[in-house]
Amino acid sequence: MEREIRNVTLDDMKLSYEVYGEGNTVILCFHGNGRSAEDFRFLARKTRKIISVHLFLHGFSTFSPTRIHDDLITTEHVEKLLEKLLTKEKVNNFHWVAYSQGGRFTLSAFPAFAHRVKSMFLIAPDGLDDNNFYSWSQRQWWTRKLFKRWVEKPEELMKISRGLAKVKIIHPKLVTFLDFYTSDQEKFKMAYKTWSAFRDLRPSNEEVKHVLDKHSINFNMIIGAHDKIITSKSATQFLEKIDQSEALKIIPYGHDIFKPHIEKELLALMPFEDFD
């Protein structure tokens, strides 16, 4: 299926997205950190229009470099850009699919669009816990300064984190999390930039719960049983807070699930109702 890139803009921000198909059933997709909008091409069908967004710092979406540290991307920015996108594409109602960091964008903006969302499938979404180490450290100037240094010296970070885990100051899972990113310097640089630039995107559990109580939405969360980054425990705790415990679906994989042999399982867990 042909790849087509389209854009919407707001001030210095350009949000790019890909469109596959022209069907009446619209699926809006947000990819993860270090991933591509093309991850969702496997959802395409003749009856569907797939709108797959490029997150900032990925693909063709751009903003002023100053937004990595100051004048950060906010939920309001995301909402305004999405409204422009939906207006441009003449979309009234849609299904929403998001993976990993795309889940942080999605959960932040979701309350503003809930009345138009028919179903939501969050795959290992970021943004479930605003009080964990990952979210807390985003908001500390000194941790951001340290991570900027460690982007150039990842071996120093791993040595320190393993030592802290050994004396039980930090959890071993945090070491696994850091090792995942520091194993590839370009991936680590990207992670640092997005970690810094997107730190003001903070989903509200109360708002998410409120709109789910108000609207009839098929809400789902898919988590890998062996995921060390977005764990089934964190997903369960989040879903309990928003009264959606039955939304959890666990599959026997880790965090990296966009692989050909897993696509069929994902499709089976995401039945999209066609629009007239």
Side-chain angles (χ1 to χ4, degrees):
M1 191 170 289
E2 186 178 351
R3 182 185 191 190
E4 182 178 353
I5 309 296
R6 302 178 187 177
N7 309 288
V8 290
T9 60
L10 176 69
D11 301 327
D12 63 298
M13 294 168 277
K14 180 180 75 171
L15 190 71
S16 297
Y17 57 97
E18 304 190 12
V19 178
Y20 314 125
E22 294 293 335
N24 292 329
T25 300
V26 177
I27 305 176
L28 178 67
C29 305
F30 280 26
H31 66 80
N33 179 59
R35 301 295 306 182
S36 165
E38 288 195 277
D39 280 347
F40 298 99
R41 185 183 283 271
F42 76 100
L43 296 176
R45 299 289 185 277
K46 289 183 178 179
T47 57
R48 299 174 183 171
K49 179 177 183 177
I50 309 297
I51 300 175
S52 193
V53 173
H54 293 241
L55 295 189
F56 290 110
L57 300 172
H58 296 76
F60 300 96
S61 292
T62 59
F63 54 41
S64 169
T66 60
R67 290 191 184 274
I68 294 175
H69 302 291
D70 303 293
D71 195 19
L72 306 174
I73 294 293
T74 66
T75 297
E76 185 179 4
H77 291 138
V78 177
E79 290 173 355
K80 287 181 177 179
L81 284 162
L82 275 184
E83 189 58 56
K84 285 192 169 193
L85 184 159
L86 296 172
T87 299
K88 182 175 180 176
E89 297 300 324
K90 299 181 174 61
V91 174
N92 292 317
N93 300 317
F94 58 97
H95 301 287
W96 206 336
V97 180
Y99 168 63
S100 196
Q101 195 167 77
R104 176 176 289 269
F105 279 74
T106 296
L107 285 168
S108 297
F110 170 56
F113 299 95
H115 62 292
R116 302 164 71 173
V117 177
K118 293 302 180 183
S119 70
M120 177 174 285
F121 296 90
L122 298 171
I123 307 169
D126 182 23
L128 300 183
D129 185 358
D130 194 44
N131 296 312
N132 62 14
F133 176 82
Y134 173 79
S135 297
W136 172 84
S137 60
Q138 283 179 312
R139 301 191 291 274
Q140 312 306 312
W141 66 268
W142 58 273
T143 55
R144 294 196 301 275
K145 190 172 182 179
L146 279 174
F147 271 88
K148 186 176 181 180
R149 167 190 171 90
W150 287 332
V151 164
E152 302 302 327
K153 298 183 177 182
E155 68 285 349
E156 180 180 284
L157 171 60
M158 292 312 302
K159 183 178 180 180
I160 292 171
S161 63
R162 290 190 183 102
L164 292 174
K166 191 173 183 179
V167 296
K168 299 183 179 180
I169 293 178
I170 64 173
H171 198 283
K173 286 183 178 179
L174 179 58
V175 179
T176 303
F177 173 82
L178 293 172
D179 189 51
F180 174 80
Y181 284 104
T182 58
S183 60
D184 182 318
Q185 190 170 33
E186 287 306 310
K187 182 169 62 179
F188 193 28
K189 285 181 180 179
M190 172 69 77
Y192 166 71
K193 288 178 181 179
T194 58
W195 177 74
S196 179
F198 304 154
R199 66 183 185 273
D200 269 5
L201 290 175
R202 298 165 66 182
S204 165
N205 293 350
E206 292 77 15
E207 289 184 17
V208 171
K209 181 182 182 303
H210 174 72
V211 296
L212 285 172
D213 288 343
K214 185 177 180 180
H215 301 284
S216 178
I217 299 169
N218 179 14
F219 185 83
N220 305 268
M221 187 171 295
I222 302 169
I223 300 291
H226 309 298
D227 193 333
K228 303 300 183 184
I229 298 174
I230 308 298
T231 65
S232 58
K233 180 180 178 181
S234 64
T236 299
Q237 291 173 340
F238 171 79
L239 292 172
E240 287 175 351
K241 291 175 184 176
I242 63 170
D243 291 339
Q244 295 288 328
S245 295
E246 295 181 359
L248 182 62
K249 297 174 175 64
I250 297 178
I251 55 178
Y253 303 105
H255 189 70
D256 184 11
I257 60 174
F258 280 90
K259 297 177 179 178
H261 68 282
I262 304 177
E263 288 178 0
K264 286 186 178 180
E265 288 188 51
L266 289 177
L267 287 171
L269 293 172
M270 296 190 290
F272 298 106
E273 177 187 351
D274 285 339
F275 301 159
D276 295 329

